[in-house]
Amino acid sequence: MDAKKLITMSNREVEDRAIAYVIAYEKAAGREATDTRGERSAQVDVVSTDPVTGQERHIEIKAYGGDGRGEDLWLEPSQVRALEEVPEPHLYLVTNVRSIDPEAIRILDLGGEQLQARLRVKKHREYYSVPMPVAIYDALREASTTPAGITGTEFIRRVLEAVVVLHERGYHGIRYVAVYAPTGLSVRVFVGRRSEVPDRHPDDDVLDRVAYLSLDDAVEPAREFAGAMIPAWWTPVMIADQILARIPPVEPTADDLAYAKRLSAMLEDADENVRSLMTEE
């Protein structure tokens, strides 16, 4: 993959983003997933449960900044032991995590007999190197899917949640405004510093100082907002961090509790009705 199209991030950020993607992927499949990395007794990265049958899948995650095609899998001894011992083991290869294109990120699900066959040919050095033929890689990619997209209404709510996150951190000087466009066919969302966020479409010279989006209620895999393509699986915390990176510097003054409380109440009352997510014009 072209290095110019990769986002710069640390190994920890690559891992965290892969975990977030996996949890969104599991949710889209109707399962409930938990990040277990912080649990002392955990053997794998994520445990996902079918709420109907109670069946669990134990998931170890191998995150790649690029595509990883043609590379052997480098696994630590503890990871190999877990995949050989836990019930219903899966090795998720999360590829292209650093891509600016959210649709390039894929989960290649290596599980069942195919996983066990790979483990049987592992080579023990100071680590385990598991051969990963390109034919298997290509077959897994062909079978892979991306999580479902997000509607405009859901995205508006996600942005509101992100602003509430920022208010919880003390950034009360950040404002959120969502109003209907004059045609009534789309919604305009503005997030930025209190001195610059308007209650209508602003002049062009303001747009580079706010996070702005005009959207309808179509289902999309990602939307351009706050200087980035925001994929549907991004959490409010991730969007909050992106907003801070996009707008001019603002200090966490914690000086407007009433406004922060009003937006929190709006979030609590929000449902699928777009009108419930609108601020007063």
Side-chain angles (χ1 to χ4, degrees):
M1 178 174 292
D2 186 348
K4 295 180 180 179
K5 296 183 179 181
L6 297 180
I7 302 170
T8 300
M9 61 180 66
S10 66
N11 289 340
R12 177 67 183 191
E13 288 172 326
V14 170
E15 180 182 344
D16 288 346
R17 185 160 294 194
I19 292 285
Y21 189 83
V22 166
I23 289 175
Y25 175 88
E26 292 299 293
K27 180 179 179 180
R31 296 184 288 270
E32 298 171 355
T34 303
D35 179 354
T36 58
R37 290 175 297 170
E39 299 179 12
R40 192 172 291 180
S41 61
Q43 294 178 277
V44 293
D45 295 317
V46 170
V47 174
S48 180
T49 306
D50 185 319
V52 177
T53 65
Q55 184 178 15
E56 292 183 342
R57 59 170 57 190
H58 293 77
I59 304 168
E60 187 63 30
I61 295 170
K62 184 72 174 176
Y64 290 92
D67 62 22
R69 185 175 184 269
E71 298 180 14
D72 286 352
L73 306 177
W74 288 37
L75 302 176
E76 297 175 4
S78 60
Q79 293 174 311
V80 171
R81 283 196 301 272
L83 291 171
E84 290 177 335
E85 295 173 3
V86 299
E88 196 64 24
H90 288 259
L91 179 59
Y92 280 6
L93 314 180
V94 187
T95 67
N96 298 315
V97 176
R98 293 171 53 210
S99 174
I100 62 172
D101 177 8
E103 292 192 65
I105 303 175
R106 290 297 181 92
I107 289 175
L108 313 186
D109 182 3
L110 185 61
E113 175 54 31
Q114 193 173 47
L115 171 60
Q116 298 309 317
R118 292 295 89 214
L119 292 175
R120 285 194 291 270
V121 294
K122 63 183 181 292
K123 299 175 183 178
H124 187 197
R125 298 188 178 93
E126 292 299 321
Y127 54 87
Y128 285 101
S129 174
V130 177
M132 187 63 178
V134 295
I136 292 179
Y137 179 99
D138 290 345
L140 291 174
R141 179 171 176 78
E142 184 68 25
S144 70
T145 60
T146 58
I150 187 171
T151 67
T153 300
E154 291 168 335
F155 191 80
I156 293 171
R157 180 188 174 95
R158 195 79 57 83
V159 171
L160 177 56
E161 288 182 89
V163 177
V164 169
V165 167
L166 292 173
H167 287 168
E168 290 171 350
R169 297 178 185 174
Y171 289 95
H172 293 177
I174 292 181
R175 291 292 189 261
Y176 163 94
V177 172
V179 295
Y180 278 109
T183 62
L185 300 177
S186 63
V187 175
R188 295 168 175 168
V189 179
F190 309 92
V191 177
R193 299 183 301 187
R194 130 175 66 196
S195 60
E196 291 157 350
V197 171
D199 58 3
R200 57 181 176 77
H201 197 296
D203 296 332
D204 289 346
D205 61 350
V206 174
L207 286 177
D208 64 351
R209 299 195 295 276
V210 299
Y212 163 70
L213 177 67
S214 180
L215 71 169
D216 56 24
D217 205 36
V219 177
E220 300 287 350
R223 285 179 169 82
E224 188 172 357
F225 179 69
M229 287 300 296
I230 307 293
W233 54 271
W234 267 29
T235 65
V237 170
M238 296 167 75
I239 297 176
D241 291 338
Q242 183 62 34
I243 290 171
L244 280 184
R246 169 66 178 85
I247 65 175
V250 60
E251 296 297 323
T253 55
D255 59 353
D256 198 341
L257 291 171
Y259 180 76
K261 184 176 181 180
R262 181 162 75 88
L263 278 198
S264 292
M266 184 190 302
L267 179 59
E268 291 178 3
D269 294 340
D271 53 26
E272 290 303 311
N273 181 359
V274 176
R275 182 66 67 180
S276 68
L277 299 169
M278 300 293 109
T279 51
E280 295 180 4
E281 298 191 35

